[in-house]
Amino acid sequence: MQTFLPLPTFAACAAALDDRRLGKQRVETLQILRALVWPSYGWQRHPAVAMWRGFVPALAAYGVAVCAEWRLRGRADAVLPALLEFTGGRVPREADLAARDLLPPWLGDEELHRSHRSALVRKDPDHYRPLFGDVPADLPYVWPPPVFPRWPLRRSGDGPLPLAAALGLLDWADPPPEQVAAVRRLAAGADATVPVPDPHAPAAVALLAGLCTPGTTLWLVPGRPPPEPPPHDPVAEADFGRAVGRTGRSVARPPGPAETAATSEEASAEPEFRFRRVLPPGEAAAAVPPGTGLVVVAGADLAAPGAEVPVLRLLPAPPT
């Protein structure tokens, strides 16, 4: 199971794939969406599922790009309407998600994209070597660590959770006392600095702080942002809600009441955590969206934005 991401925009990824892999990506995207959202489904711990945890609209946008490219090549497709069930029928557009800081923080990570180019060259050198040049064909997959320990993980409202409730939601039984103290300072409106083993990796203390502060959390990570996605084509999207061709058995499996309820909840949920890749020193990080209640800054290289909200800075822990 995999979502192939040889390039940092979804449309470019879809356009680069050969027909065999492009067709399979439609179904694999749907399977990953179901694994993320449906209460009982296989592969929930697979790294290809875990990396998308918390980014359902972005994964749906990847699937839309794949299905659109498949249809553009003149192929029948009955998967796209099933993908849109996870967004309430709305067509998720990558450019809109990027503008709202709703893409995964690993999108744009050249090491990840290069590993996927390598895997594709390994699978079909005749197709991919002319596209990807001299990338080695033996690189292992780079699997981004999941940002969220489980999904769904949300407060279901703008109000902050009490500390005990947030710890329960994270299933975090024994947090370090200094991190709890930092979260209490942030909840009171003050800034805080927390040493962590890797400030550029997902940090439970940042999730805890986001759950315990009002509004949304903007998480700034150092890295080159992905390029601006191409604009959508409203003419091409006119029939996205309509199946073209027969529905395969893997797609046609009907959801039960629990799956339907979970899908509906996911489609209507408002994001509580947003992620933005910023090149140091981070001057572009100054724009904080309205409704933000906390800013998380990963590492020492990024400047904190000038905003009247508390800032949690994650720094590398000193060696022991």
Side-chain angles (χ1 to χ4, degrees):
M1 176 173 283
Q2 181 60 285
T3 46
F4 284 114
L5 297 155
L7 300 164
T9 64
F10 299 153
C13 290
L17 293 178
D18 65 281
D19 285 353
R20 179 183 177 188
R21 262 151 285 274
L22 182 68
K24 289 184 176 181
Q25 283 293 276
R26 299 173 302 128
V27 176
E28 294 207 8
T29 300
L30 178 60
Q31 290 173 330
I32 295 174
L33 281 168
R34 289 174 171 176
L36 288 171
V37 176
W38 287 7
S40 298
Y41 200 80
W43 302 303
Q44 292 186 354
R45 295 188 180 275
H46 192 287
V49 176
M51 65 186 278
W52 287 101
R53 198 180 289 152
F55 302 99
V56 166
L59 177 57
Y62 172 82
V64 166
V66 167
C67 291
E69 176 67 23
W70 185 249
R71 293 182 178 201
L72 185 65
R73 297 183 190 182
R75 304 302 185 92
D77 168 64
V79 177
L80 206 160
L83 300 177
L84 297 184
E85 292 175 7
F86 292 88
T87 59
R90 301 180 300 275
V91 177
R93 302 185 178 107
E94 186 179 2
D96 295 341
L97 296 173
R100 298 170 60 203
D101 300 311
L102 296 180
L103 295 174
W106 41 256
L107 191 66
D109 182 344
E110 177 57 20
E111 185 179 359
L112 179 148
H113 299 305
R114 190 165 183 260
S115 79
H116 285 217
R117 293 196 292 272
S118 175
L120 290 168
V121 168
R122 195 161 57 240
K123 292 175 182 295
D124 189 343
D126 289 342
H127 180 86
Y128 291 106
R129 181 59 73 189
L131 293 177
F132 300 144
D134 59 355
V135 62
D138 58 353
L139 298 179
Y141 278 121
V142 171
W143 297 106
V147 175
F148 300 95
R150 50 180 289 272
W151 196 257
L153 193 149
R154 58 175 68 99
R155 297 169 303 181
S156 300
D158 287 339
L161 288 180
L163 181 62
L167 288 169
L169 191 59
L170 291 167
D171 195 22
W172 196 3
D174 191 23
E178 63 275 12
Q179 295 192 11
V180 171
V183 171
R184 293 188 187 279
R185 288 198 300 273
L186 293 160
D191 295 346
T193 298
V194 174
V196 293
D198 182 0
H200 302 153
V205 64
L207 297 176
L208 181 65
L211 294 171
C212 292
T213 49
T216 61
T217 296
L218 176 63
W219 198 324
L220 305 177
V221 298
R224 183 173 299 280
E228 184 176 347
H232 69 279
D233 182 352
V235 176
E237 294 179 3
D239 66 346
F240 275 6
R242 180 171 63 88
V244 181
R246 294 183 299 174
T247 303
R249 284 186 297 175
S250 60
V251 177
R253 172 187 166 182
E259 289 84 2
T260 299
T263 301
S264 177
E265 179 184 349
E266 182 66 39
S268 61
E270 290 295 323
E272 296 180 3
F273 290 87
R274 302 170 185 266
F275 297 83
R276 186 185 300 170
R277 291 174 65 87
V278 181
L279 286 173
E283 294 178 2
V288 176
T292 301
L294 173 70
V295 174
V296 177
V297 181
D301 296 334
L302 295 181
E308 297 299 321
V309 297
V311 174
L312 168 61
R313 186 177 290 277
L314 306 176
L315 293 178
T320 56

Coordinates of all heavy atoms in Angstrom, one line a residue, residues 167-234:
L167 N -5.2 15.1 28.0 CA -4.3 13.9 28.2 C -5.0 12.6 27.9 O -4.4 11.7 27.3 CB -3.7 13.9 29.6 CG -2.7 15.0 29.9 CD1 -2.4 15.1 31.4 CD2 -1.4 14.8 29.1
G168 N -6.3 12.5 28.3 CA -7.0 11.3 28.0 C -7.3 11.1 26.5 O -7.2 10.0 26.0
L169 N -7.5 12.2 25.8 CA -7.7 12.2 24.4 C -6.5 11.7 23.6 O -6.5 10.9 22.7 CB -8.1 13.5 23.8 CG -8.6 13.6 22.4 CD1 -9.9 12.7 22.2 CD2 -9.0 15.1 22.0
L170 N -5.3 12.1 24.2 CA -4.0 11.7 23.6 C -3.6 10.3 24.1 O -2.6 9.8 23.6 CB -2.9 12.7 23.9 CG -3.1 14.0 23.2 CD1 -2.1 15.1 23.8 CD2 -2.7 13.9 21.7
D171 N -4.3 9.8 25.1 CA -3.9 8.5 25.7 C -2.5 8.6 26.3 O -1.7 7.7 26.1 CB -4.0 7.3 24.8 CG -4.0 6.0 25.5 OD1 -4.3 5.9 26.7 OD2 -3.7 5.0 24.8
W172 N -2.2 9.7 26.9 CA -0.9 10.1 27.5 C -1.0 10.0 29.0 O -1.5 10.9 29.6 CB -0.5 11.4 27.0 CG 1.0 11.7 27.1 CD1 1.9 10.9 27.6 CD2 1.6 13.0 26.8 NE1 3.2 11.5 27.6 CE2 3.0 12.8 27.1 CE3 1.2 14.2 26.3 CZ2 3.9 13.8 26.9 CZ3 2.1 15.2 26.1 CH2 3.5 15.0 26.4
A173 N -0.5 8.9 29.6 CA -0.7 8.7 31.0 C 0.3 9.4 31.9 O 0.0 9.7 33.0 CB -0.7 7.2 31.3
D174 N 1.5 9.6 31.4 CA 2.6 10.0 32.3 C 3.4 11.1 31.6 O 4.6 10.9 31.2 CB 3.5 8.8 32.7 CG 4.4 9.2 33.8 OD1 4.2 10.2 34.5 OD2 5.5 8.5 33.9
P175 N 2.9 12.3 31.3 CA 3.7 13.3 30.6 C 4.7 13.9 31.6 O 4.6 13.9 32.8 CB 2.6 14.4 30.3 CG 1.6 14.2 31.4 CD 1.5 12.7 31.7
P176 N 5.9 14.3 31.0 CA 6.9 15.0 31.8 C 6.3 16.2 32.5 O 5.6 17.0 31.9 CB 8.0 15.3 30.8 CG 7.8 14.4 29.7 CD 6.3 14.2 29.6
P177 N 6.6 16.4 33.8 CA 6.1 17.5 34.6 C 6.5 18.9 34.0 O 5.6 19.8 34.0 CB 6.7 17.4 36.0 CG 7.0 15.9 36.1 CD 7.4 15.5 34.7
E178 N 7.7 19.0 33.4 CA 8.1 20.3 32.8 C 7.2 20.6 31.6 O 7.0 21.8 31.3 CB 9.6 20.3 32.5 CG 10.0 19.3 31.4 CD 10.3 17.9 32.0 OE1 10.0 17.7 33.2 OE2 10.9 17.1 31.2
Q179 N 6.8 19.6 30.9 CA 5.9 19.8 29.7 C 4.5 20.2 30.1 O 3.9 21.0 29.5 CB 5.9 18.6 28.8 CG 7.3 18.3 28.2 CD 7.2 17.3 27.0 OE1 6.2 16.9 26.6 NE2 8.4 16.8 26.6
V180 N 4.0 19.6 31.2 CA 2.7 19.9 31.7 C 2.8 21.4 32.2 O 1.8 22.2 31.9 CB 2.3 19.0 32.9 CG1 1.1 19.5 33.6 CG2 2.1 17.6 32.3
A181 N 3.8 21.8 32.8 CA 4.0 23.2 33.3 C 4.0 24.1 32.1 O 3.4 25.2 32.2 CB 5.2 23.3 34.1
A182 N 4.7 23.8 31.0 CA 4.7 24.6 29.9 C 3.3 24.8 29.2 O 2.9 25.9 28.8 CB 5.7 24.0 28.8
V183 N 2.5 23.7 29.2 CA 1.2 23.7 28.6 C 0.3 24.6 29.5 O -0.5 25.4 29.0 CB 0.6 22.3 28.5 CG1 -0.9 22.4 28.2 CG2 1.3 21.5 27.5
R184 N 0.5 24.6 30.8 CA -0.3 25.5 31.7 C 0.1 26.9 31.4 O -0.8 27.8 31.5 CB 0.0 25.1 33.2 CG -0.6 23.7 33.6 CD -0.4 23.5 35.1 NE -0.8 22.2 35.5 CZ -2.0 21.7 35.7 NH1 -3.0 22.6 35.5 NH2 -2.2 20.5 36.1
R185 N 1.3 27.2 31.2 CA 1.7 28.6 30.9 C 1.1 29.1 29.6 O 0.6 30.2 29.4 CB 3.2 28.7 30.8 CG 4.0 28.6 32.1 CD 5.4 29.2 32.0 NE 6.2 28.5 31.0 CZ 6.9 27.3 31.3 NH1 6.8 26.8 32.6 NH2 7.6 26.8 30.4
L186 N 1.1 28.2 28.6 CA 0.5 28.5 27.3 C -1.0 28.8 27.4 O -1.6 29.7 26.8 CB 0.8 27.4 26.3 CG 2.3 27.3 25.9 CD1 2.5 25.9 25.3 CD2 2.7 28.4 24.9
A187 N -1.7 27.9 28.2 CA -3.1 28.1 28.4 C -3.4 29.4 29.1 O -4.5 29.9 28.9 CB -3.6 26.9 29.2
A188 N -2.5 29.9 29.9 CA -2.7 31.2 30.6 C -2.3 32.4 29.7 O -2.4 33.5 30.1 CB -1.9 31.2 31.9
G189 N -1.8 32.1 28.5 CA -1.5 33.2 27.6 C -0.1 33.5 27.5 O 0.3 34.5 26.8
A190 N 0.8 32.8 28.1 CA 2.3 33.1 28.1 C 3.0 32.2 27.1 O 2.5 31.1 26.8 CB 2.9 32.9 29.5
D191 N 4.2 32.6 26.7 CA 5.0 31.8 25.8 C 5.7 30.7 26.6 O 5.8 30.8 27.8 CB 6.0 32.6 25.0 CG 5.4 33.6 24.1 OD1 4.2 33.5 23.8 OD2 6.1 34.6 23.6
A192 N 6.2 29.7 25.9 CA 6.9 28.6 26.6 C 7.9 28.0 25.6 O 7.7 28.0 24.4 CB 5.9 27.5 27.1
T193 N 9.0 27.5 26.1 CA 10.0 26.7 25.4 C 10.1 25.3 26.0 O 10.2 25.2 27.2 CB 11.3 27.4 25.4 OG1 11.2 28.7 24.8 CG2 12.4 26.6 24.6
V194 N 10.1 24.3 25.1 CA 10.2 22.9 25.6 C 11.2 22.2 24.9 O 11.2 22.2 23.6 CB 8.8 22.2 25.4 CG1 8.9 20.7 25.8 CG2 7.7 22.9 26.3
P195 N 12.2 21.6 25.5 CA 13.2 20.7 24.9 C 12.6 19.4 24.5 O 11.9 18.8 25.4 CB 14.3 20.6 25.9 CG 13.7 20.9 27.2 CD 12.5 21.8 27.0
V196 N 12.8 18.9 23.3 CA 12.3 17.6 22.9 C 13.4 16.9 22.1 O 14.4 17.5 21.7 CB 11.1 17.8 22.0 CG1 9.9 18.3 22.7 CG2 11.4 18.7 20.8
P197 N 13.4 15.6 22.0 CA 14.4 14.9 21.3 C 14.7 15.3 19.9 O 15.8 15.5 19.5 CB 14.0 13.4 21.4 CG 13.1 13.3 22.6 CD 12.4 14.7 22.6
D198 N 13.6 15.6 19.2 CA 13.8 16.1 17.8 C 12.7 17.1 17.6 O 11.5 16.8 17.4 CB 13.6 14.9 16.8 CG 13.8 15.4 15.3 OD1 14.0 16.6 15.1 OD2 13.7 14.6 14.4
P199 N 13.1 18.4 17.6 CA 12.0 19.5 17.4 C 11.4 19.5 16.1 O 10.3 20.1 15.9 CB 12.8 20.8 17.7 CG 14.2 20.4 17.3 CD 14.4 19.0 17.7
H200 N 11.9 18.8 15.1 CA 11.3 18.8 13.7 C 10.4 17.6 13.5 O 9.8 17.5 12.5 CB 12.4 18.8 12.7 CG 13.4 20.0 12.8 ND1 14.7 19.9 12.4 CD2 13.2 21.2 13.3 CE1 15.2 21.1 12.6 NE2 14.3 21.9 13.2
A201 N 10.3 16.8 14.5 CA 9.4 15.6 14.5 C 8.1 15.9 15.2 O 8.1 16.9 16.0 CB 10.1 14.4 15.1
P202 N 7.1 15.2 15.0 CA 5.8 15.4 15.7 C 6.1 15.3 17.2 O 6.8 14.5 17.7 CB 4.9 14.3 15.3 CG 5.4 13.9 13.9 CD 6.9 14.1 14.0
A203 N 5.5 16.2 18.0 CA 5.7 16.3 19.4 C 4.4 16.3 20.1 O 3.5 17.1 19.9 CB 6.5 17.6 19.8
A204 N 4.2 15.3 21.1 CA 3.0 15.2 21.8 C 2.6 16.5 22.6 O 1.5 16.8 22.8 CB 3.0 14.0 22.7
V205 N 3.7 17.1 23.1 CA 3.4 18.3 23.9 C 2.8 19.4 23.1 O 2.0 20.2 23.6 CB 4.8 18.8 24.6 CG1 5.8 19.3 23.5 CG2 4.5 20.0 25.5
A206 N 3.1 19.5 21.8 CA 2.5 20.5 20.9 C 1.0 20.2 20.7 O 0.1 21.1 20.7 CB 3.2 20.6 19.6
L207 N 0.7 18.9 20.5 CA -0.7 18.5 20.4 C -1.5 18.8 21.7 O -2.6 19.3 21.7 CB -0.8 17.0 20.1 CG -0.2 16.6 18.7 CD1 -0.3 15.1 18.6 CD2 -0.9 17.3 17.6
L208 N -0.8 18.5 22.8 CA -1.5 18.8 24.1 C -1.7 20.2 24.3 O -2.8 20.7 24.7 CB -0.6 18.2 25.3 CG -1.1 18.4 26.7 CD1 -2.4 17.6 26.9 CD2 0.0 18.0 27.7
A209 N -0.8 21.1 24.0 CA -0.9 22.5 24.1 C -2.0 23.0 23.2 O -2.8 23.9 23.6 CB 0.4 23.2 23.8
G210 N -2.1 22.5 21.9 CA -3.2 22.9 21.0 C -4.5 22.5 21.5 O -5.5 23.3 21.4
L211 N -4.7 21.4 22.2 CA -6.0 21.0 22.7 C -6.4 21.8 23.9 O -7.6 22.0 24.2 CB -5.9 19.5 23.1 CG -5.8 18.5 22.0 CD1 -5.5 17.1 22.5 CD2 -7.0 18.5 21.1
C212 N -5.4 22.4 24.6 CA -5.6 23.1 25.9 C -5.7 24.6 25.7 O -5.8 25.3 26.7 CB -4.6 22.8 26.9 SG -4.6 21.1 27.5
T213 N -5.6 25.1 24.4 CA -5.7 26.5 24.1 C -6.9 26.7 23.2 O -7.2 25.8 22.4 CB -4.4 27.0 23.5 OG1 -4.0 26.2 22.5 CG2 -3.3 27.1 24.6
P214 N -7.5 27.9 23.2 CA -8.6 28.1 22.3 C -8.2 28.3 20.8 O -7.0 28.5 20.5 CB -9.2 29.4 22.9 CG -8.1 30.1 23.5 CD -7.2 29.1 24.0
G215 N -9.2 28.2 19.9 CA -8.9 28.4 18.5 C -8.1 27.3 17.9 O -8.0 26.2 18.4
T216 N -7.5 27.6 16.8 CA -6.7 26.7 16.1 C -5.2 26.8 16.4 O -4.8 27.9 16.9 CB -6.9 26.8 14.5 OG1 -6.5 28.1 14.1 CG2 -8.4 26.5 14.2
T217 N -4.4 25.8 16.1 CA -3.0 25.8 16.2 C -2.3 25.9 14.9 O -2.6 25.1 14.0 CB -2.5 24.6 17.0 OG1 -3.1 24.6 18.3 CG2 -1.0 24.5 17.1
L218 N -1.4 26.9 14.7 CA -0.5 27.0 13.6 C 0.8 26.5 13.9 O 1.5 27.0 14.8 CB -0.4 28.4 13.1 CG 0.5 28.7 11.9 CD1 0.0 27.9 10.6 CD2 0.6 30.2 11.6
W219 N 1.3 25.4 13.2 CA 2.5 24.7 13.5 C 3.5 25.0 12.4 O 3.3 24.7 11.2 CB 2.3 23.2 13.6 CG 3.3 22.4 14.3 CD1 4.7 22.6 14.3 CD2 3.1 21.2 15.1 NE1 5.3 21.6 15.0 CE2 4.3 20.8 15.5 CE3 1.9 20.6 15.5 CZ2 4.5 19.6 16.3 CZ3 2.0 19.4 16.3 CH2 3.3 19.0 16.7
L220 N 4.6 25.7 12.7 CA 5.6 26.1 11.7 C 6.7 25.2 11.8 O 7.3 24.9 12.8 CB 6.1 27.6 12.0 CG 5.0 28.7 12.1 CD1 5.6 30.0 12.4 CD2 4.2 28.8 10.8
V221 N 7.1 24.6 10.6 CA 8.2 23.7 10.5 C 9.2 24.2 9.5 O 8.8 24.8 8.5 CB 7.8 22.3 10.2 CG1 6.9 21.7 11.2 CG2 7.1 22.2 8.8
P222 N 10.5 24.1 9.7 CA 11.5 24.6 8.7 C 11.5 23.7 7.5 O 11.5 22.5 7.6 CB 12.8 24.6 9.5 CG 12.6 23.6 10.6 CD 11.2 23.6 10.9
G223 N 11.5 24.3 6.3 CA 11.6 23.5 5.1 C 11.1 24.3 3.9 O 10.3 25.3 4.1
R224 N 11.4 23.9 2.8 CA 11.0 24.6 1.6 C 9.5 24.3 1.3 O 9.1 23.1 1.2 CB 11.8 24.2 0.3 CG 11.4 24.9 -0.9 CD 12.4 24.6 -2.1 NE 13.7 25.0 -1.7 CZ 14.2 26.3 -1.8 NH1 13.3 27.3 -2.2 NH2 15.4 26.6 -1.5
P225 N 8.6 25.3 1.2 CA 7.2 25.0 1.0 C 7.1 24.3 -0.4 O 7.9 24.6 -1.3 CB 6.6 26.4 1.0 CG 7.6 27.3 1.7 CD 8.9 26.7 1.4
P226 N 6.1 23.5 -0.6 CA 5.8 23.0 -1.9 C 5.4 24.1 -2.9 O 4.9 25.1 -2.4 CB 4.7 22.0 -1.7 CG 4.0 22.4 -0.4 CD 5.1 23.0 0.4
P227 N 5.7 23.9 -4.2 CA 5.3 25.0 -5.1 C 3.8 25.2 -5.2 O 3.0 24.3 -4.8 CB 5.8 24.5 -6.5 CG 6.0 23.0 -6.3 CD 6.3 22.8 -4.8
E228 N 3.4 26.4 -5.7 CA 2.0 26.7 -5.7 C 1.3 25.7 -6.7 O 1.7 25.5 -7.8 CB 1.8 28.1 -6.2 CG 0.3 28.5 -6.2 CD 0.2 30.0 -6.6 OE1 1.2 30.7 -6.6 OE2 -0.9 30.4 -6.9
P229 N 0.2 25.0 -6.2 CA -0.4 24.1 -7.1 C -1.1 24.8 -8.3 O -1.4 26.0 -8.2 CB -1.5 23.4 -6.2 CG -1.0 23.7 -4.8 CD -0.3 25.0 -4.9
P230 N -1.3 24.1 -9.4 CA -2.0 24.7 -10.5 C -3.5 25.0 -10.2 O -4.1 24.4 -9.3 CB -1.9 23.6 -11.6 CG -1.8 22.3 -10.9 CD -1.0 22.7 -9.6
P231 N -4.1 26.0 -10.8 CA -5.5 26.3 -10.6 C -6.4 25.2 -11.0 O -6.0 24.4 -11.9 CB -5.7 27.6 -11.4 CG -4.7 27.5 -12.4 CD -3.5 26.9 -11.9
H232 N -7.5 25.1 -10.4 CA -8.5 24.0 -10.8 C -9.2 24.4 -12.0 O -9.3 25.6 -12.4 CB -9.5 23.8 -9.6 CG -10.4 24.9 -9.4 ND1 -10.1 26.0 -8.7 CD2 -11.7 25.1 -9.8 CE1 -11.2 26.8 -8.7 NE2 -12.1 26.3 -9.4
D233 N -9.7 23.4 -12.7 CA -10.5 23.6 -14.0 C -11.9 23.3 -13.7 O -12.3 22.1 -13.6 CB -9.9 22.7 -15.0 CG -10.6 22.9 -16.4 OD1 -11.6 23.6 -16.4 OD2 -10.2 22.3 -17.4
P234 N -12.8 24.3 -13.5 CA -14.2 24.0 -13.2 C -14.9 23.2 -14.3 O -15.8 22.5 -14.0 CB -14.8 25.4 -13.1 CG -13.9 26.4 -13.8 CD -12.5 25.7 -13.7

